[in-house]
C-alpha cells in the first residue's frame, strides 16, 4: 500500500513538472552543434514544415544581457521569439500578472520572469520608467567608455510569468525584431522551435528533421532538452522505492516468525503426515503455500487499498500541500497511478514473500528428524 501511494505521488509530481516545462519548452528544438548562431538560409524551414505532424515553427534568439530598472540591475537571458510563440507554447497560461503581449503594431513589450521582476522590483503600473536592456556591441570599443561598448534599448513590460524557478529568475521574453535590432543581427538566429500535432510520432519526425538539417545541427525532443532533470526525477523515484522495499523486506521477518512458530506448533502433525506416507516435498509444499498465501493476499489487499487512497486523493485532494495561503503551484499532493508500478510492486512483494516463506520451510527436515527420534 505504501509503495503504491509513494510511487503514485512521485508520478504526480513528475507529470506536474513536465507540464510546467512543456509550457515553456517546444516539442523539438534545432540548434547548432558548434557555435551560437546560424543564418536562416542555411536551414530548409519550409521543407521541415511540410513533414506530417509538424504544426508550427518559430525562430528564436537567446543572448545574455544586463537589464536595468531605476537603480536595480540584473543579468538575464533575453529570448526573442516570433508572433506565434504564445499561441503554440502555452506560456500565456503561466502569467501571474499582466498579459503575454510582445508587440502591438510598432510598439514592443517585454514579458519578464517573475524572479527577474522580483530582483529588479519591476512594475506594470510604472509608465514613466522603462526597462533598459544592455548587450555588448558586435564591434565593441571598450576604450571609448561604457556608452560605446554596449547597445541599449528601452522597453516596457506587459506581464510577468511563472513556470519554474530556473526559468523565472533567468528569462526575459522579447519580440524577435527587437532582439535582432539590439544585437545587430540580420538573418542570424540561435535556433528553431518546433511544435507537433497531438499524437504525432516524435521519433520518426525527429529522424526526418535530422535528415533535412544535416550533421551541423542538433535536434532535441523535450526529454533531451531537460535530460538531467528527468534522470534526477527517475533516480529519486526508484531510490525511494528501494528504501521502502528494504523496509518491506524487514517487515517480512514477521512472516518468517509466524511460519516458524506454525511449523513448531504443528511438528506432531508433520510426524503423523509422514507416518501416513507424506514425503518431505509434500510437507514443505503445504507450508510454502501457506506463506505464499499470506504474501499474495497481503499484496492484493495493499494494492487495492493503495489504489483507493490514490483515487480519493485524485478526486478530492484531502491531503494538502502546505498550509492555507501557501504559494505552491498546486494546493494538494498530485497523484498519477500507472499500471507498470502496480505490476512491479506486486511482483516485488511476491518475490520477497517467497524468500520469507522458503527459509522456515527449509528447516522442516531438522524438526521432523527430532520428532521421529522422540517417537521411536
Amino acid at each position: 500500500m505504501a509503495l503504491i501511494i509513494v510511487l503514485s505521488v512521485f508520478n504526480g509530481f513528475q507529470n506536474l513538472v513536465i507540464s510546467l516545462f512543456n509550457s515553456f519548452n517546444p516539442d523539438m528544438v534545432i540548434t547548432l552543434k558548434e557555435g551560437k548562431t546560424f543564418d536562416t538560409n542555411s536551414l530548409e524551414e519550409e521543407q521541415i514544415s511540410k513533414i506530417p505532424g509538424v504544426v508550427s515553427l518559430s525562430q528564436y534568439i537567446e543572448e545574455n544581457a544586463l537589464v536595468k530598472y531605476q537603480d536595480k540591475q540584473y543579468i538575464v537571458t533575453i529570448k526573442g521569439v516570433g508572433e506565434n510563440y504564445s499561441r503554440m507554447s502555452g506560456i500565456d497560461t503561466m502569467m501571474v500578472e499582466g498579459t503575454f503581449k510582445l508587440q502591438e503594431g510598432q510598439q514592443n513589450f517585454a514579458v519578464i520572469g517573475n524572479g527577474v521582476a522580483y530582483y529588479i522590483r519591476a512594475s506594470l503600473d510604472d509608465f514613466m520608467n522603462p526597462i533598459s536592456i544592455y548587450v555588448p556591441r558586435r564591434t565593441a570599443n571598450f576604450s571609448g567608455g561604457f556608452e560605446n561598448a554596449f547597445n541599449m534599448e528601452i522597453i516596457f513590460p506587459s506581464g510577468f510569468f511563472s513556470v519554474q524557478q530556473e526559468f523565472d529568475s533567468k528569462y526575459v521574453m522579447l519580440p524577435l525584431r527587437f532582439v535582432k535590432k539590439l544585437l545587430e543581427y540580420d538573418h542570424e538566429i540561435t535556433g528553431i522551435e518546433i511544435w507537433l500535432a497531438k499524437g504525432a510520432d516524435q521519433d520518426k519526425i525527429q529522424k526526418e528533421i535530422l535528415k533535412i538539417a544535416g550533421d551541423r545541427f542538433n535536434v532535441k525532443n523535450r526529454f533531451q532538452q531537460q535530460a538531467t532533470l528527468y534522470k534526477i526525477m527517475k533516480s529519486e523515484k526508484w531510490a525511494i522505492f528501494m528504501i521502502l522495499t528494504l523496509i518491506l523486506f524487514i517487515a517480512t521477518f514477521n512472516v518468517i516468525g509466524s511460519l516458524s512458530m506454525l511449523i513448531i506448533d504443528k511438528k506432531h502433525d508433520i510426524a503423523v503426515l509422514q507416518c501416513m506416507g507424506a514425503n518431505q516435498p509434500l510437507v514443505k509444499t503445504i507450508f510454502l503455500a501457506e506463506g505464499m498465501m499470506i504474501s499474495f493476499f497481503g499484496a492484493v489487499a495493499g494494492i487495492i487499498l493503495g489504489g483507493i487512497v490514490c483515487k480519493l486523493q485524485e478526486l478530492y485532494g484531502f491531503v494538502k500541500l502546505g498550509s492555507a495561503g501557501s504559494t505552491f503551484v498546486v494546493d494538494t499532493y498530485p497523484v498519477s497511478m500507472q499500471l507498470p508500478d502496480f505490476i512491479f510492486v506486486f511482483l516485488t512483494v511476491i518475490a520477497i514473500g517467497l524468500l520469507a516463506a522458503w527459509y522456515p520451510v527449509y528447516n522442516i527436515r531438522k524438526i521432523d528428524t527430532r520428532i521421529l527420534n522422540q517417537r521411536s
Side-chain angles (χ1 to χ4, degrees):
M1 176 180 172
L3 283 167
I4 290 297
I5 292 173
V6 170
L7 291 179
S8 297
V9 170
F10 263 90
N11 292 335
F13 276 114
Q14 183 173 333
N15 291 343
L16 175 63
V17 171
I18 289 173
S19 68
L20 292 176
F21 275 91
N22 286 353
S23 65
F24 192 88
N25 291 331
D27 292 311
M28 290 186 188
V29 61
I30 304 174
T31 56
L32 276 177
K33 286 184 178 179
E34 295 181 359
K36 183 182 289 187
T37 61
F38 61 91
D39 194 295
T40 54
N41 298 321
S42 63
L43 197 61
E44 297 290 339
E45 290 186 51
E46 186 176 349
Q47 195 173 348
I48 294 173
S49 65
K50 291 179 180 178
I51 296 175
V54 173
V55 174
S56 179
L57 280 70
S58 178
Q59 299 176 354
Y60 76 94
I61 299 173
E62 279 191 10
E63 185 58 84
N64 293 329
L66 171 71
V67 295
K68 182 179 179 183
Y69 178 71
Q70 297 186 11
D71 61 338
K72 303 291 183 181
Q73 299 179 12
Y74 190 66
I75 300 295
V76 300
T77 297
I78 57 174
K79 183 174 182 178
V81 295
E83 295 181 42
N84 63 336
Y85 178 80
S86 62
R87 294 196 304 271
M88 302 307 302
S89 67
I91 194 174
D92 53 343
T93 62
M94 297 288 115
M95 301 301 295
V96 293
E97 190 175 349
T99 58
F100 192 94
K101 180 173 65 174
L102 294 177
Q103 55 191 63
E104 190 175 55
Q106 297 302 312
Q107 182 70 30
N108 297 315
F109 297 95
V111 178
I112 305 174
N114 206 34
V116 176
Y118 171 79
Y119 287 125
I120 64 174
R121 301 294 190 270
S123 172
L124 300 181
D125 300 323
D126 186 357
F127 301 106
M128 300 298 294
N129 298 296
I131 295 173
S132 301
I133 302 177
Y134 297 87
V135 296
R137 285 185 176 176
R138 302 185 74 174
T139 56
N141 182 9
F142 290 93
S143 61
F146 185 85
E147 302 286 337
N148 297 324
F150 289 86
N151 288 332
M152 189 273 288
E153 293 286 344
I154 60 172
I155 197 167
F156 286 95
S158 65
F160 307 144
F161 69 86
S162 179
V163 176
Q164 198 265 349
Q165 186 177 4
E166 179 186 350
F167 294 146
D168 300 346
S169 59
K170 178 181 178 181
Y171 279 99
V172 172
M173 311 298 292
L174 298 166
L176 187 62
R177 65 187 185 187
F178 179 89
V179 176
K180 281 187 174 183
K181 179 183 177 183
L182 183 65
L183 296 173
E184 301 176 292
Y185 284 174
D186 293 321
H187 303 290
E188 299 95 329
I189 57 173
T190 303
I192 296 176
E193 295 178 327
I194 302 171
W195 285 271
L196 307 179
K198 190 174 181 180
D201 189 339
Q202 293 196 13
D203 293 335
K204 182 181 178 182
I205 294 173
Q206 187 174 13
K207 290 177 182 177
E208 291 187 32
I209 295 173
L210 274 169
K211 194 180 297 182
I212 295 171
D215 297 334
R216 290 180 57 210
F217 296 91
N218 282 320
V219 180
K220 294 182 179 180
N221 57 34
R222 276 179 170 156
F223 289 98
Q224 292 168 337
Q225 292 171 52
Q226 301 293 335
T228 304
L229 173 71
Y230 292 121
K231 287 178 182 177
I232 290 173
M233 287 194 298
K234 282 191 174 182
S235 299
E236 287 177 342
K237 176 181 174 180
W238 293 115
I240 292 295
F241 176 81
M242 295 303 296
I243 293 171
L244 288 176
T245 301
L246 178 62
I247 295 171
L248 179 65
F249 181 76
I250 295 171
T252 55
F253 281 99
N254 288 327
V255 178
I256 295 174
S258 299
L259 281 177
S260 298
M261 294 302 296
L262 181 65
I263 291 169
I264 293 172
D265 184 56
K266 299 294 183 181
K267 56 186 178 181
H268 292 290
D269 297 313
I270 294 172
V272 170
L273 286 172
Q274 289 189 333
C275 290
M276 295 174 63
N279 55 19
Q280 282 288 333
L282 177 60
V283 174
K284 288 184 177 182
T285 301
I286 293 171
F287 287 98
L288 187 63
E290 174 77 15
M292 290 305 298
M293 285 174 64
I294 294 172
S295 298
F296 176 80
F297 287 113
V300 171
I303 286 174
I304 292 172
L305 289 173
I308 291 172
V309 171
C310 290
K311 192 62 181 179
L312 291 174
Q313 174 67 13
E314 187 178 346
L315 293 175
Y316 303 108
F318 54 85
V319 182
K320 302 296 181 182
L321 189 64
S323 58
S326 59
T327 57
F328 291 108
V329 177
V330 289
D331 298 325
T332 61
Y333 278 92
V335 293
S336 175
M337 293 180 284
Q338 297 180 4
L339 182 60
D341 290 343
F342 281 74
I343 295 173
F344 198 68
V345 167
F346 179 79
L347 294 177
T348 301
V349 173
I350 293 300
I352 293 175
L354 179 61
L355 291 173
W358 174 83
Y359 179 76
V361 169
Y362 175 77
N363 294 313
I364 288 179
R365 178 175 295 180
K366 298 176 183 178
I367 297 172
D368 289 346
T369 302
R370 188 171 63 251
I371 294 300
L372 291 174
N373 288 337
Q374 290 175 357
R375 289 176 63 86
S376 62

